[in-house]
């Protein structure tokens, strides 16, 4: 049995159905009761509960062979939750722990990168102590954070990053395919730390590619600092100040540095069979009923 944490988030919604489709017996966990919906597509078991509650984690880990640890998004308790999950897995005798981290976690100007670095380090030490097998995956920016339908309808791709900033991208299903390889060979991937970066683009190039696929001009628009709340209100509506502070750290990083990585590792892991950003745009356009303009 495989446990996937924080399963109701954006990444969970893309990898959990894929893992089930590929034959994995999956138990999902999330604080949001909507996680119960996974039963409709074949999740074996569902745990609704808080990742900072020891009893909930003990229940979630019981009888589990492997964990895919998806972290929560923008919470000051992220490092605590990761460490508690590791301890609970070891306590329950879980054989394998796969930590989904982030590309370049040592970019410690970003608060969530600091959190993920703490979890990675803790997993290393506790893994050695307990002999639990572990692997860390470090994904780049996800394709699914680029929303084809609303950008098509508005004709704009808004960005709080400079339009010529370069970032690497990855499809969450490619991440899931790597997870499947790691699950199939726990010993072979034990103590491996793998960067999951595929193609790299500037925001201008992303907008141009989306325009090419949809046949409609979609302009990249840099959003000035005083307008950020209008475009990304969720960063400013947290129950505490952490989410907003984390946002401003990302904003600062993005004004100063690119965030692109090397694609050879992911292509090696998947034998070159990675999903392109173009193919993602084509899929999303079809779902939205937008005519797709194929590449000549």
């Amino acid at each position: 049995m495989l446990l996937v944490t924080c399963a109701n988030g954006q990444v969970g919604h893309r990898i959990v159905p894929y893992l089930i489709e590929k034959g994995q017996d999956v138990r999902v966990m999330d604080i949001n009761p909507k996680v119960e919906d996974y039963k409709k597509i074949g999740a074996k078991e569902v745990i609704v509960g808080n990742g900072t509650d020891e009893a909930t984690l003990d229940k979630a880990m019981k009888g589990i062979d492997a964990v895919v640890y998806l972290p929560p998004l923008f919470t000051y308790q992220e490092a605590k939750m990761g460490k508690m999950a590791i301890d609970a897995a070891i306590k329950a005798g879980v054989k394998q722990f796969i930590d989904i981290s982030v590309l370049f976690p040592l970019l410690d100007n970003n608060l969530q990168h600091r959190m993920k670095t703490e979890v990675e380090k803790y997993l290393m030490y506790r893994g050695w102590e307990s002999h639990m097998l572990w692997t860390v995956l470090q994904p780049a920016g996800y394709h699914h954070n680029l929303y084809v339908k609303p950008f098509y309808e508005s004709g704009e791709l808004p960005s709080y990053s400079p339009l010529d900033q370069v970032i690497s991208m990855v499809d969450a299903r490619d991440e899931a395919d790597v997870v499947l390889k790691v699950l199939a060979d726990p010993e072979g991937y034990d103590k491996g730390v793998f960067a999951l970066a595929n193609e790299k683009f500037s925001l201008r190039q992303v907008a141009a590619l989306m325009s090419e696929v949809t046949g409609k001009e979609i302009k990249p628009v840099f959003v000035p600092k005083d307008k950020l709340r209008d475009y990304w209100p969720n960063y400013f509506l947290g129950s505490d100040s952490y989410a907003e502070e984390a946002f401003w750290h990302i904003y600062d990083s993005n004004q100063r540095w690119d965030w692109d990585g090397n694609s050879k590792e992911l292509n090696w892991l998947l034998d070159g069979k990675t999903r392109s950003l173009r193919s993602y745009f084509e899929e999303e356009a079809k779902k939205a009923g937008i005519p797709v303009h194929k590449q000549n």
Side-chain angles (χ1 to χ4, degrees):
M1 180 79 76
L2 172 68
L3 172 67
V4 181
T5 65
C6 294
N8 197 60
Q10 287 201 66
V11 179
H13 275 292
R14 283 156 181 83
I15 74 168
V16 170
Y18 190 80
L19 294 172
I20 292 172
E21 179 187 324
K22 295 297 182 180
Q24 293 292 314
D25 290 333
V26 177
R27 177 187 294 167
V28 291
M29 174 184 168
D30 200 281
I31 196 172
N32 192 326
K34 289 184 178 179
V35 75
E36 294 276 1
D37 291 344
Y38 280 120
K39 290 179 180 177
K40 300 174 185 176
I41 62 166
K44 299 297 183 182
E45 297 174 13
V46 174
I47 303 289
V48 178
N50 195 318
T52 61
D53 180 70
E54 187 175 352
T56 298
L57 284 170
D58 287 345
K59 181 180 178 182
M61 297 289 176
K62 187 176 181 180
I64 288 296
D65 299 302
V67 174
V68 174
Y69 183 75
L70 294 179
L73 179 65
F74 293 127
T75 171
Y76 71 98
Q77 294 180 308
E78 180 177 345
K80 175 182 177 180
M81 290 172 71
K83 292 174 183 179
M84 287 185 68
I86 292 164
D87 287 341
I90 292 169
K91 179 181 174 182
V94 171
K95 298 175 184 176
Q96 184 182 23
F97 196 101
I98 302 172
D99 175 39
I100 307 300
S101 183
V102 67
L103 187 66
F104 301 128
L106 291 180
L107 177 59
D108 61 359
N109 192 60
N110 289 348
L111 301 188
Q112 77 277 20
H113 286 224
R114 297 180 196 174
M115 298 282 194
K116 290 175 174 63
T117 298
E118 278 194 53
V119 174
E120 286 191 31
K121 184 166 63 174
Y122 192 77
L123 180 60
M124 178 180 68
Y125 286 127
R126 293 291 282 128
W128 278 329
E129 290 170 358
S130 66
H131 304 292
M132 179 176 68
L133 305 176
W134 59 269
T135 305
V136 176
L137 305 182
Q138 300 176 332
Y142 288 111
H143 288 171
H144 61 248
N145 289 326
L146 296 166
Y147 308 108
V148 173
K149 184 178 179 181
F151 295 165
Y152 176 84
E153 290 174 346
S154 69
E156 293 185 349
L157 193 163
S159 172
Y160 52 78
S161 302
L163 300 183
D164 293 311
Q165 183 206 39
V166 177
I167 65 170
S168 286
M169 305 293 296
V170 68
D171 195 289
R173 291 164 299 177
D174 284 349
E175 178 178 85
D177 279 330
V178 174
V179 165
L180 289 168
K181 293 197 79 167
V182 174
L183 289 170
D185 186 8
E187 296 279 355
Y189 290 95
D190 181 37
K191 301 177 182 64
V193 180
F194 301 104
L196 306 186
N198 197 13
E199 302 161 303
K200 56 182 72 175
F201 299 93
S202 71
L203 272 297
R204 292 188 196 278
Q205 291 171 325
V206 169
L209 180 58
M210 193 180 294
S211 300
E212 188 177 320
V213 169
T214 63
K216 176 181 177 179
E217 183 182 6
I218 299 169
K219 296 180 180 179
V221 176
F222 178 73
V223 179
K225 195 171 185 178
D226 61 346
K227 299 293 184 183
L228 294 176
R229 290 174 185 268
D230 298 335
Y231 282 83
W232 293 280
N234 290 343
Y235 288 110
F236 303 98
L237 298 176
S239 59
D240 56 70
S241 61
Y242 179 84
E244 180 173 348
E245 187 66 19
F247 177 87
W248 288 121
H249 278 254
I250 295 173
Y251 177 84
D252 177 67
S253 292
N254 288 7
Q255 306 314 303
R256 300 163 66 185
W257 305 299
D258 291 336
W259 192 53
D260 59 318
N262 189 289
S263 64
K264 285 189 177 293
E265 199 157 17
L266 178 64
N267 277 273
W268 168 74
L269 286 164
L270 297 183
D271 301 316
K273 298 173 183 177
T274 57
R275 295 168 176 84
S276 68
L277 184 59
R278 173 182 288 275
S279 67
Y280 167 76
F281 284 163
E282 290 176 353
E283 287 180 64
E284 292 298 301
K286 287 177 183 176
K287 289 178 188 176
I290 300 168
V292 173
H293 292 248
K294 290 286 187 178
Q295 189 176 19
N296 294 326

